Amino acid sequence: MKGWTNYHNHSYFCDGVEPLEEHVIAAIQQGVLHLGFSSHCPLHFTNPWSMSNQRIPEYVLEIDRLKEKYHHKITLYKSLEVDYFPDGNFHNQYWKQNTGLDYTIGSVHFIDQFEDGQAWEIDGTLSVFKKGLEEIFHNDIKAAILRYFEIFHHMLDQDCPDMIGHLDKIKMHNSKEPFFDENAEWYQKSIDQVLVHAAEKNVIIEVNTRGIYKKITAEPYPSISILQKIQALKIPICLNSDAHHPKEVIAEYGNVSRLLKELGFDHLMVFDNGVWLDRKFDHTGIFFD
Ligand SMILES: [Zn+2]
Ligand SMILES: [Zn+2]
């Protein structure tokens, strides 16, 4: 059997739209065999795009109901995209155990905080990005990015998820203004260090198509230069769209899977009965047999 997988999806439980069932129906129609829901996990402060703690029981029940209802057509998974904060809070392992998740995606959307205690969101608006860069890092983009990757190192050491979400999301605003050069030696060195650490931990790195179909980035997260290093290090990858709408479920999968084949990747990771397995793929899907 051949079909796609997507382990990174949002719905109206956080900042996506439409009920979970609409996402399931769209996924079945588009040849998806595995669909994992990964709402933004509740945070220790109010945040407009995160799921609230109160909605966790409803989220869990609804995924369980849909797992049962559609099990002949698609395998559904229960997950959260967990924000990592190095100074405490509930992390990947907490959510996995307390919510009965199948896996977690570990992402960094926040770096440190403003003087008033508000966390700096790095992939929100351009003005918030500039404000944090100026007020927290005195416009030293290198210091901000080194801190961003330091948080990944901390997460890998302290609370390793199953999968790293959009590893180089920090480049997002480069398309509007060139904040840094991705080819700079210091940047590539910091990438090398994170990848070596990820390889040691045997964590999966997702290839995320959202920047491309939202026309924010020309390349996926992570960029091609990073994907080449991932391939050389034989770090396992999977392909996700980070969909926030049912129509985005396999957006740009054809093009990005072609790119991955050109870069020498042979396998994508597939979650099966509680374990991650590598499976061959081409630009039309993953071979499940
Ligand atoms: Zn994210
Ligand atoms: Zn996401």
Side-chain angles (χ1 to χ4, degrees), residues 60-288:
V60 168
L61 276 177
E62 179 62 357
I63 297 173
D64 286 343
R65 182 184 77 83
L66 295 171
K67 275 189 182 196
E68 183 63 30
K69 181 173 176 182
Y70 291 98
H71 77 278
H72 291 301
K73 293 180 177 170
I74 190 168
T75 305
L76 300 177
Y77 292 108
K78 196 189 305 168
S79 179
L80 289 170
E81 184 179 7
V82 179
D83 279 282
Y84 191 76
F85 295 89
D87 52 353
N89 198 25
F90 302 131
H91 291 152
N92 289 287
Q93 297 313 318
Y94 169 86
W95 290 112
K96 201 167 178 176
Q97 284 155 20
N98 287 278
T99 318
L101 304 180
D102 296 302
Y103 61 89
T104 62
I105 302 172
S107 294
V108 177
H109 302 106
F110 297 100
I111 303 176
D112 299 345
Q113 45 192 284
F114 293 97
E115 264 182 18
D116 66 0
Q118 195 182 353
W120 177 35
E121 185 186 350
I122 55 100
D123 65 341
T125 62
L126 180 61
S127 63
V128 169
F129 186 76
K130 284 182 168 177
K131 186 170 186 276
L133 192 56
E134 185 183 343
E135 292 181 19
I136 304 172
F137 290 95
H138 313 292
N139 285 324
D140 184 346
I141 186 70
K142 182 177 170 184
I145 291 174
L146 293 181
R147 177 62 178 151
Y148 173 76
F149 287 121
E150 187 178 44
I151 297 170
F152 276 104
H153 282 293
H154 203 280
M155 176 175 74
L156 289 168
D157 273 332
Q158 301 295 323
D159 183 51
C160 195
D162 293 70
M163 188 186 303
I164 288 180
H166 42 63
L167 177 69
D168 62 346
K169 194 75 181 275
I170 193 78
K171 77 181 176 192
M172 187 179 119
H173 291 296
N174 262 358
S175 59
K176 295 174 200 137
E177 267 187 57
F179 286 95
F180 67 98
D181 175 8
E182 284 188 60
N183 296 314
E185 204 177 321
W186 64 266
Y187 181 72
Q188 289 297 324
K189 190 176 160 209
S190 61
I191 292 285
D192 289 340
Q193 289 166 342
V194 168
L195 295 184
V196 166
H197 199 173
E200 280 168 20
K201 296 289 178 179
N202 205 28
V203 66
I204 296 166
I205 295 182
E206 73 161 1
V207 179
N208 182 313
T209 63
R210 185 164 179 79
I212 302 176
Y213 68 79
K214 294 297 282 182
K215 304 200 186 320
I216 294 169
T217 60
E219 298 182 11
Y221 303 111
S223 290
I224 291 170
S225 62
I226 304 174
L227 288 170
Q228 287 168 329
K229 293 171 193 262
I230 290 171
Q231 204 278 332
L233 287 165
K234 305 286 176 224
I235 296 171
I237 59 164
C238 65
L239 184 57
N240 291 328
S241 80
D242 200 351
H244 287 61
H245 188 285
K247 72 176 185 215
E248 296 167 348
V249 66
I250 54 165
E252 290 295 332
Y253 266 37
N255 289 332
V256 173
S257 56
R258 260 191 209 98
L259 168 70
L260 293 173
K261 294 288 282 189
E262 282 167 20
L263 294 174
F265 288 96
D266 288 324
H267 297 91
L268 292 171
M269 298 307 283
V270 166
F271 195 59
D272 189 25
N273 280 321
V275 285
W276 292 97
L277 305 169
D278 55 351
R279 289 285 177 261
K280 288 190 178 297
F281 71 102
D282 68 16
H283 66 282
T284 62
I286 299 170
F287 299 90
F288 273 66

Side-chain angles (χ1 to χ4, degrees), residues 19-51:
L20 300 181
E21 192 155 8
E22 295 301 317
H23 290 259
V24 174
I25 292 166
I28 292 168
Q29 286 169 349
Q30 293 177 69
V32 175
L33 296 175
H34 285 183
L35 186 73
F37 290 110
S38 55
S39 274
H40 292 288
C41 78
L43 300 180
H44 53 293
F45 53 89
T46 306
N47 184 50
W49 45 261
S50 299
M51 183 162 60

